[in-house]
Amino acid sequence: HIGAYQIEAGGDLISFLDTPGHAAFAGIRERGASTTDIAILVVAADDGFKPQTDEALKFAKKAQASLIVAINKIDTKGANVDRVKQQMQERGIPPEDLGGEVITVPISALKGEGIDQLLEMIKLQAEVMELKAVPTGKSSGVIIESQIEQGRGPTATVLVKKGKLKVGDALVCGTVSCKVKAMHDDLGKAVKQAGPSTPVKIVGWSEAPTSGAVFETAKNEREAKRIAEEEIEERQKKEEQDRLEAKSGGSSLDDLFSAIESTRKTNFNVILKA
């Protein structure tokens, strides 16, 4: 689960995507890193870099997001900030006080120490990067997560990247269309519109869209459905073509290897009632 929420810091709004740290959620962390402008890598002062930390760093580098390191648990027994900084140096992300360029902020999430400084550093980094977005016109953005809710049907939390998203807008996301029936902010409050970098939950999808996919605004609901249906047909044609190539032995050695690989994959169809 990716928590998407917005806070106010000194008159400015900052939107956060909070990805879980457990090893099982690598895909979610990768999506989170590719959606953000600034990635905050949280490293425990007592544990240092763990395999998941290195993996999150790899995703942030791949997404080319600007990096800030927050060294957490500085109030814990066995905390060693200098050791974490040394580990950063070894990984090619040297902190500022060791001659590097990576902003590093020691914090205690438990006691709230260093949080104000971290927020200031985020704002400063955003200024340096000159992050700008177009706040008017047709909206587009990315799906953070989606689900089917009882009484609401398919819903999706989205992050607006540009333009202004409004209730009543028609959206298309791959094979899924939507007429925005309602929108709610991170506190569950109903909102009529959302600008860039605003996370909102949208009600009104034909199906649950794929997390990480991009949505665009269509002219109207009919147009959105038409684009989605065309995309379904296009994908079905491609799947049929791939199957035929696999049966005929493929047109090249690469096709043959991919056909072999696809036969090795095992799919289990499961209905979970819980």
Side-chain angles (χ1 to χ4, degrees):
H1 175 82
I2 296 182
Y5 52 92
Q6 199 172 59
I7 64 144
E8 190 179 339
D12 294 313
L13 293 171
I14 306 174
S15 295
F16 285 90
L17 298 183
D18 181 19
T19 60
H22 192 275
F25 301 112
I28 295 179
R29 279 196 293 282
E30 185 164 18
R31 285 207 309 274
S34 64
T35 307
T36 53
D37 299 302
I38 299 168
I40 300 170
L41 191 66
V42 183
V43 187
D46 54 347
D47 286 339
F49 276 74
K50 291 284 187 185
Q52 285 99 296
T53 325
D54 284 323
E55 180 196 63
L57 174 61
K58 183 183 82 179
F59 293 149
K61 281 181 172 177
K62 185 180 168 187
Q64 295 181 322
S66 179
L67 189 68
I68 292 176
V69 174
I71 304 175
N72 191 24
K73 300 186 181 179
I74 54 168
D75 52 332
T76 314
K77 189 183 174 185
N80 190 337
V81 173
D82 290 335
R83 182 172 67 103
V84 174
K85 288 181 178 179
Q86 187 58 46
Q87 288 177 325
M88 287 172 62
Q89 192 108 5
E90 289 163 8
R91 283 159 176 77
I93 49 164
E96 284 181 321
D97 55 348
L98 292 181
E101 292 181 358
V102 179
I103 296 169
T104 311
V105 187
I107 65 165
S108 165
L110 188 68
K111 294 182 178 176
E113 286 176 39
I115 301 298
D116 287 341
Q117 189 192 351
L118 179 62
L119 295 175
E120 279 303 316
M121 289 298 111
I122 293 168
K123 285 161 66 176
L124 183 68
Q125 190 71 347
E127 276 179 37
V128 169
M129 292 169 73
E130 295 184 347
L131 296 175
K132 297 275 194 302
V134 180
T136 55
K138 286 185 176 181
S139 71
S140 64
V142 67
I143 309 294
I144 302 299
E145 61 195 354
S146 64
Q147 56 277 308
I148 295 173
E149 294 184 38
Q150 199 169 352
R152 279 183 173 177
T155 67
T157 302
V158 309
L159 192 73
V160 180
K161 291 295 238 179
K162 70 173 185 181
K164 192 161 276 185
L165 179 64
K166 299 184 292 295
V167 171
D169 280 355
L171 309 176
V172 64
C173 180
T175 58
V176 182
S177 63
C178 172
K179 181 172 183 187
V180 183
K181 291 178 184 172
M183 289 196 299
H184 299 90
D185 65 13
D186 54 338
L187 300 172
K189 194 175 116 191
V191 290
K192 294 287 184 193
Q193 57 184 35
S197 290
T198 306
V200 283
K201 181 180 275 190
I202 296 176
V203 181
W205 298 91
S206 57
E207 291 175 40
T210 307
S211 297
V214 171
F215 74 83
E216 302 277 350
T217 306
K219 198 162 109 184
N220 52 42
E221 194 178 1
R222 188 187 297 166
E223 179 75 0
K225 282 180 180 174
R226 185 188 63 76
I227 295 167
E229 280 164 11
E230 282 178 6
E231 181 65 25
I232 291 168
E233 282 174 26
E234 198 64 40
R235 289 188 189 185
Q236 284 172 344
K237 278 182 195 168
K238 190 179 182 305
E239 280 172 18
E240 188 60 37
Q241 193 178 344
D242 290 345
R243 272 199 297 273
L244 288 170
E245 281 182 8
K247 275 182 186 173
S248 64
S251 56
S252 71
L253 197 60
D254 285 341
D255 291 335
L256 180 64
F257 282 128
S258 66
I260 292 166
E261 189 59 39
S262 67
T263 58
R264 285 179 183 163
K265 289 175 185 169
T266 309
N267 294 320
F268 297 99
N269 295 323
V270 177
I271 297 174
L272 178 67
K273 291 189 176 182

